Amino acid sequence: MAEPKTKYDRQLRIWGEQGQAALEKASICLLNCGPTGSETLKNLVLGGVGSITIVDGSKVEFGDLGNNFMVDDSSLGQSKAKCVCSFLQELNDAVKAKFIEEYPEALIDTSPSFFSQFTLVVATQLVEESMVKLDRICRQENVMLIFARSYGLTGLVRISVKEHTVIESKPDHFLDDLRLNNPWPELRGFAEAIDLNVQDPVAHKHIPYVVILVKMVDEWKTGHEGTLPSTREEKREFKELLKSRMTAMDEENYKEAIDASFKVFAPQGISSDLQQILNDSCADVGTGSSDFWVMVAALKEFIANEGGGEVPLEGSIPDMTSSTEHYVNLQKIYQAKSEADYLVIEERVRNILKKIGRDPHSIPKATIKSFCKNARKLKVCRYCPIEDEYNNPSLAELQKYSTDEDYSIAVGFYILLRAVDRYAANFNHFPGQFDGGLDEDISRLKTTAVSLLNDLGCTGLTLTEDLINEMCRFGAAELHAVAAVIGGIASQEVIKLITKQFVPMSGTFVFNAIDHKSQLLTLY
């Protein structure tokens, strides 16, 4: 068997050893192992989750051979859960795999405590009534839940957890934490010791742009009553000031300073998103508070005291044109400040833990260090119960989506996916599921959809005839191509939740394979 570091090399580069360890500890339950569920679980098994449990009471039928790669001719008539489990086990023998030959709906009704043993439940192809019941159970047991469903040429994915906190949100674009307009004493001292007017051309073109900007900001402030460039004209003037200090056209360090000058204009202090987290009622910690909120409480104290309105320094600097000596010394200054800030936060965390009656060392140093490094990028995600969304969706959002050309088809599918469940509850089959009677099914689905909209208070929202016809034409089929997309999205969100890295999507992801589009609907 390959060593884990070799086996999972590519993904370790994305979420690191800590993220992989979280995956390997995770216990995943899959409800229904049709193509949507199988594709979701395949991605997680290949990723190295700790254990999987497949719950499905159906047998492999001839139709399954055309849309599920994890069963074959020899599987006909056998337990679908057993066959899929066996196939997935072959993909990664490090994953513990077991199956339960039972219909998920029965398990939800008769054994709700069954779900408490899992880290996360992936519920596929459930109808609305079962979704609501399962959501209640998982919220009560604090088990993360993801719904995934493919239906003809559409499908959806919806996360449901009370609260999900993210330290390593890893945004695509984020300003380097350089404090160019608010340098601490050591950085200022380092910059002041370097002469921008040095006569040696080699030395002049190897002054780091961080030093250039710190010194030029001070010069600008001297002539502008202590204020930073704020208007477009002032920012242009500041760039011209930088340009005027170049002694040769090939001075890359000054070009870097001009390109990075926007970092000087960034406002000091903390973002509105972070302020919202600091103001959250959960930041008033008690015995039952999570590690995340204990660290937020410590961060709040730090910002108000030692931080002087700033979060702990991240401590890394980007590549730049510089002499080796200057770059190494600059790196040491940033790292030393970062370490000092971390030690203050750590002490505050230990004191808070002691104060609320917990072991002062119950939060590892590595976790506190990661928190400090990512303090500007913290995220808190909360998801309303699916029952609340279904009973009382935001009418304003529904109306907005329905009148937006980019979202109208997605919201139409969202409504119709709910309508087909109501239809099935009334007529014991999905519209278009059986040959013949398609016109009657279309008429019934249209009546059901209008009734659903009226119940929600969305009397002004209309669904196109074409969309209703398409839903009936789908006949509740699971197409492998659509299932693969839905399974890919669902497994991606599972990994985000388990590793607590990257930001999980909020709202309901709706895939429209007809137009090759996807949208995220936030209806609560």
Side-chain angles (χ1 to χ4, degrees), residues 201-221:
V202 175
H204 194 265
K205 65 171 64 173
H206 285 89
I207 299 170
Y209 81 73
V210 167
V211 172
I212 296 170
L213 288 173
V214 168
K215 291 182 77 86
M216 296 307 288
V217 163
D218 283 346
E219 184 176 322
W220 174 275
K221 283 182 174 179

Side-chain angles (χ1 to χ4, degrees), residues 132-431:
V132 169
K133 288 177 183 175
L134 181 61
D135 189 32
R136 284 194 207 124
I137 293 166
C138 289
R139 282 174 176 268
Q140 189 173 338
E141 301 290 347
N142 285 318
V143 173
M144 295 182 284
L145 175 62
I146 289 186
F147 294 108
R149 186 177 190 181
S150 60
Y151 193 103
L153 292 174
T154 187
L156 62 78
V157 177
R158 163 66 149 87
I159 297 170
S160 188
V161 295
K162 285 181 186 175
E163 178 183 276
H164 180 71
T165 55
V166 186
I167 294 174
E168 296 184 61
S169 62
K170 301 184 177 181
D172 290 334
H173 305 289
F174 218 81
L175 276 180
D176 299 310
D177 190 12
L178 298 176
R179 311 282 167 96
L180 299 174
N181 56 18
N182 187 22
W184 61 98
E186 290 79 6
L187 178 58
R188 184 178 293 283
F190 177 75
E192 287 174 354
I194 296 174
D195 182 9
L196 293 188
N197 298 314
V198 63
Q199 295 302 308
D200 181 352
V202 175
H204 194 265
K205 65 171 64 173
H206 285 89
I207 299 170
Y209 81 73
V210 167
V211 172
I212 296 170
L213 288 173
V214 168
K215 291 182 77 86
M216 296 307 288
V217 163
D218 283 346
E219 184 176 322
W220 174 275
K221 283 182 174 179
T222 302
H224 293 81
E225 299 178 353
T227 61
L228 289 167
S230 56
T231 65
R232 179 180 291 185
E233 183 58 30
E234 285 178 340
K235 290 174 183 178
R236 189 190 63 76
E237 283 180 32
F238 183 73
K239 288 182 180 180
E240 289 297 324
L241 182 63
L242 290 170
K243 202 171 181 180
S244 70
R245 297 305 173 93
M246 294 176 69
T247 59
M249 292 302 293
D250 64 343
E251 292 191 313
E252 291 298 323
N253 56 337
Y254 274 85
K255 291 177 183 177
E256 288 171 1
I258 293 166
D259 290 341
S261 61
F262 70 93
K263 296 175 184 178
V264 168
F265 315 141
Q268 295 178 16
I270 60 176
S271 68
S272 57
D273 286 349
L274 180 56
Q275 188 63 58
Q276 196 173 347
I277 292 172
L278 297 174
N279 292 342
D280 196 289
S281 60
C282 291
D284 298 324
V285 294
T287 312
S289 295
S290 68
D291 291 355
F292 177 87
W293 288 110
V294 169
M295 291 187 287
V296 167
L299 176 64
K300 193 172 182 178
E301 291 179 2
F302 175 88
I303 292 169
N305 296 284
E306 298 88 352
E310 297 274 11
V311 299
L313 188 74
E314 287 180 26
S316 58
I317 58 174
D319 290 337
M320 63 188 77
T321 303
S322 169
S323 67
T324 303
E325 182 186 359
H326 283 339
Y327 189 83
V328 170
N329 288 335
L330 194 60
Q331 210 169 33
K332 287 178 179 176
I333 288 167
Y334 274 86
Q335 287 170 351
K337 167 69 171 164
S338 174
E339 181 67 16
D341 287 353
Y342 154 71
L343 290 172
V344 174
I345 289 276
E346 185 191 16
E347 186 179 357
R348 289 193 172 278
V349 167
R350 307 294 179 216
N351 290 338
I352 290 170
L353 287 168
K354 190 175 180 181
K355 186 178 175 183
I356 62 175
R358 283 178 56 187
D359 176 5
H361 297 281
S362 58
I363 301 179
K365 286 187 175 186
T367 303
I368 302 172
K369 275 202 167 181
S370 176
F371 182 88
C372 290
K373 187 178 179 182
N374 294 283
R376 296 186 302 148
K377 307 162 192 170
L378 304 176
K379 292 290 180 185
V380 176
C381 309
R382 293 186 174 113
Y383 302 83
C384 86
I386 201 138
E387 185 175 18
D388 290 357
E389 179 185 319
Y390 282 170
N391 291 339
N392 300 295
S394 168
L395 298 184
E397 289 299 307
L398 270 175
Q399 196 63 44
K400 183 185 80 176
Y401 289 137
S402 66
T403 54
D404 186 322
E405 188 178 334
D406 291 331
Y407 285 85
S408 58
I409 302 295
V411 80
F413 275 135
Y414 174 84
I415 294 294
L416 285 170
L417 282 167
R418 292 192 58 193
V420 294
D421 286 348
R422 188 177 281 200
Y423 178 107
N426 292 333
F427 302 107
N428 295 316
H429 69 88
F430 287 101

